[in-house]
Every structure is written in C-alpha cells, then in structure tokens.
Amino acid sequence: MEDQKLPCVLIDCIGEKHGVYEEHVEFLKEHFCLITMKEYIENKKILGKKIRAIYMWYHKPVINEELLQSLPNLKIVASSGVGIDHLDLNLLSRYGVKVSNTPFIVSTDTADLGMALMLASSRRLVEGYQMAVSPDTEYFPANWLGDEVSGATLGIIGMGTIGYKVAERAKAFEMKILYHNRKQRNKEEENAVGAIYCKKIDDLLRQSDFVMLAVNLTPQTHKLIGKRELQLMKPTATLINISRGLVVEQDDLVEALQNKVIKAAALDVTYPEPLPRDHPLLKMENVLITPHIGSATKKTRHLMMENMTESIQAALTSLPIPHEVLL
Ligand SMILES: O=CC(=O)O
C-alpha cells in the first residue's frame, strides 16, 4: 500500500506461490494503490471503504458474500484468464459489481500447449527423456515406439478461439480435423482450416485418434466426457484436456485408462488442482499431466496484467469495460 491518491485495488498478495508477480507490481503501482489481503484484514474498517476494484490474479483472492459486504465501493472484479467458472456472477451482480476477464490473449499459448501435450504424449517424450538420462540405460531399444500425430485424426470439442487456433496448428501437421460445437457453425473458419463439423459428439469420439477438449466449463459441459463417451472412443485414442478438469468425469477416466478403454490422456487440468499426491492419475505411464499452464508464458501473462489494468481503469471512470463479462 502506498500512494493514497491512486484508486485502491485489492490483490491477494505479491510474489509467493500464487501472488501477483513482482515484475508486474511496478507497473500496477503506477496506476493503483495496491492493498494486499493481509493489509485489508488488519485494517478492514478503513480500507474496506477505500477499495474500488479487485485484481483477481489466478482466482485469488477468493470472493464471497462476506467480502463483498465489507467493500461498499467495489466497482469491478478484473479476473485473469478466460474461464470465469470460479466466480459467482449472480452474487456479484446483486452487489452491482462488474466483471472482466482476459479472453483472446490466452488463446495462442493454450493452443500451443494443446499441441505440445498431443505431441509429447504420442511420442512418449517424458518416458523417452527418462530413458535417455537414466543411469541404468545401456542401449536405446529400437522397438520403443510411439504413434504419429501427422496425418492422424484430431477431434476438437469446443471450436471457440482456442479450439480454432488448435485447428490452425493441426492443419500444418496435415491432420484430419473434426470438430463439435454447441454454438452455430462458422463455415468460413471451417473451410479455412479444412475442419469437418460433427453434429453429434458421438461421431467425433468414434473417429478421432486424439480428442481435444477446448470448451468453457458451464453447466452444459460439466462432466461432458464420462464412461459412455470414453467407451465410444477408439482403444488407440488419446484424450487431451486444455479446458477445465470438471469437463471430464475423472473417476471414469481413471477406469477407462486402467482398463485400456482408451490408450492415453494428456491433461493440463484436473480436479482438484493439484491432485492429491496418491491419486491414480499420477501413477499411470499412459498419463501426462502439466500444472494448468495453458497461458503460462511471460508475454501472455504481461498482456493479461495490462488488460486487467485497462478494465479497472475503465470501470472506475465509467467507460466501456474491455472484455466485460455479462451475466
Ligand atoms: O485457465 C486459464 C484461463 O481460464 O485462462
């Protein structure tokens, strides 16, 4: 907390494991008086009235009704990333608080990660690395094989900005691209990447060598992929999830992997995150897991921070908010 002339913005903390990055703080402090949760808790009565925005960096601080009640002048919650499943939009709207997120910025990186997971899983990069560096390795076995990505069939579930960027990349890998979308088809985009629309998700599941989940988590996509859907997939297929863990019924996925109903899974997201250290998904050779890093590049995270700053400034000066999330 410093310059009291600037609008007060609540953040969770600086640095530490999940806080606002030290390198972003300098920029933020040019525009806002940052108040950490710790400072706010120590001086709720005075600071509560001053706070006008919450800078929600990776779902922190957690917002509940008690917090909202004690921030009477709160105008906006600027949330990092694209997913807003961690926010209760109805509750925020009841308190007259606006919400923004940072879509589009994250799409390229998240699509890149989807490709990385597909390639790493199919070519067994993690196992290969372990073999290459192991002190027990005496020779490289010639029969240690993976599967091809180039030329294989990729089924994208959720052709939003991220799904489309995955398709653009997959085109360069000469993949056959299928997709399923709940919203209307965009034939121009479809033609540009040579993607084939599957009206029924089941058709996509049956035909794909790789099924990539790129949907938002909503009541309609909650546990979209369960036992029935996994059984429709090829026994040689891989499930890749770059959206949210809760899009998959995780216990069914574990069972499907254990019983070789599908070949493998590559997951950037699970539930909970991180998984308990004794979770079966962490022990399977056919599972590759990354720690929810879809948008985790320096450039993207910096752009997000700038974008959140713009949204807060707009809300506090009653200008249209870039990327306002509407109920
Ligand atoms: O998960 C990341 C995001 O929602 O952008």
Side-chain angles (χ1 to χ4, degrees):
M1 192 182 23
E2 260 153 44
D3 190 343
Q4 292 291 348
K5 285 192 273 330
L6 296 172
C8 289
V9 172
L10 183 65
I11 60 170
D12 192 56
C13 59
I14 296 172
E16 299 179 35
K17 285 191 182 121
H18 51 253
V20 177
Y21 306 154
E22 309 262 5
E23 55 272 34
H24 290 180
V25 167
E26 207 174 310
F27 179 94
L28 289 168
K29 278 189 172 167
E30 284 172 23
H31 306 278
F32 309 124
C33 163
L34 298 180
I35 296 173
T36 63
M37 268 309 256
K38 186 166 174 287
E39 286 165 337
Y40 157 73
I41 287 165
E42 283 165 2
N43 194 2
K44 270 190 191 178
K45 264 208 171 127
I46 308 249
L47 293 179
K49 290 202 187 76
K50 292 190 174 179
I51 289 167
R52 303 190 61 209
I54 297 180
Y55 180 91
M56 194 180 209
W57 190 247
Y58 279 90
H59 309 183
K60 298 271 171 55
V62 172
I63 298 173
N64 54 28
E65 186 140 23
E66 194 192 334
L67 181 65
L68 292 175
Q69 275 168 355
S70 63
L71 306 178
N73 296 310
L74 183 67
K75 289 275 172 298
I76 179 168
V77 172
S79 178
S80 62
V82 60
I84 35 123
D85 45 285
H86 54 286
L87 286 169
D88 184 341
L89 296 184
N90 285 306
L91 176 70
L92 288 159
S93 153
R94 270 201 279 122
Y95 280 81
V97 176
K98 300 203 185 271
V99 174
S100 68
N101 65 348
T102 63
F104 310 119
I105 293 172
V106 303
S107 309
T108 304
D109 282 347
T110 310
D112 285 354
L113 187 79
M115 295 304 288
L117 287 173
M118 180 158 59
L119 287 158
S121 168
S122 64
R123 301 301 300 271
R124 304 169 66 187
L125 286 199
V126 175
E127 282 172 79
Y129 169 77
Q130 280 158 355
M131 189 202 296
V133 300
S134 164
D136 302 328
T137 298
E138 286 168 10
Y139 62 96
F140 291 160
N143 61 353
W144 189 87
L145 304 173
D147 286 309
E148 272 192 8
V149 166
S150 295
T153 300
L154 169 65
I156 301 171
I157 300 181
M159 192 66 122
T161 325
I162 295 174
Y164 184 71
K165 285 202 178 277
V166 170
E168 285 181 318
R169 284 151 180 72
K171 184 173 186 245
F173 278 79
E174 298 163 35
M175 299 186 86
K176 176 174 177 185
I177 305 165
L178 309 177
Y179 81 97
H180 173 81
N181 218 13
R182 278 176 311 113
K183 293 202 189 120
Q184 252 188 331
R185 289 169 64 177
N186 179 335
K187 295 224 171 121
E188 211 177 296
E189 281 193 355
E190 217 174 86
N191 292 337
V193 288
I196 302 164
Y197 174 65
C198 293
K199 189 160 187 227
K200 291 196 188 125
I201 200 168
D202 292 6
D203 293 338
L204 176 148
L205 293 168
R206 282 196 188 96
Q207 294 175 61
S208 302
D209 299 307
F210 299 93
V211 173
M212 188 156 335
L213 303 175
V215 288
N216 286 328
L217 175 62
T218 64
Q220 290 75 37
T221 60
H222 185 261
K223 303 205 174 167
L224 179 72
I225 303 295
K227 191 175 178 126
R228 191 191 80 86
E229 290 70 27
L230 291 160
Q231 275 170 347
L232 290 176
M233 287 171 65
K234 295 182 186 179
T236 50
T238 297
L239 181 73
I240 300 153
N241 192 358
I242 52 170
S243 67
R244 284 290 183 269
L246 277 166
V247 172
V248 179
E249 175 48 83
Q250 209 160 258
D251 292 342
D252 290 353
L253 176 62
V254 169
E255 208 181 297
L257 289 162
Q258 281 167 342
N259 297 333
K260 311 244 177 302
V261 172
I262 63 168
K263 189 188 81 175
L267 312 168
D268 187 42
V269 287
T270 57
Y271 65 93
E273 287 173 2
L275 287 170
R277 296 298 85 189
D278 59 352
H279 195 282
L281 282 175
L282 302 184
K283 299 193 173 68
M284 294 179 185
E285 271 186 3
N286 53 348
V287 176
L288 172 61
I289 301 200
T290 48
H292 200 146
I293 50 168
S295 66
T297 66
K298 292 191 189 91
K299 182 174 162 201
T300 292
R301 292 281 163 96
H302 189 90
L303 287 172
M304 271 185 194
M305 181 271 294
E306 286 182 347
N307 194 279
M308 290 162 72
T309 300
E310 279 161 24
S311 293
I312 294 175
Q313 287 174 324
L316 299 188
T317 48
S318 303
L319 288 169
I321 300 170
H323 309 308
E324 178 171 356
V325 177
L326 299 169
L327 247 192

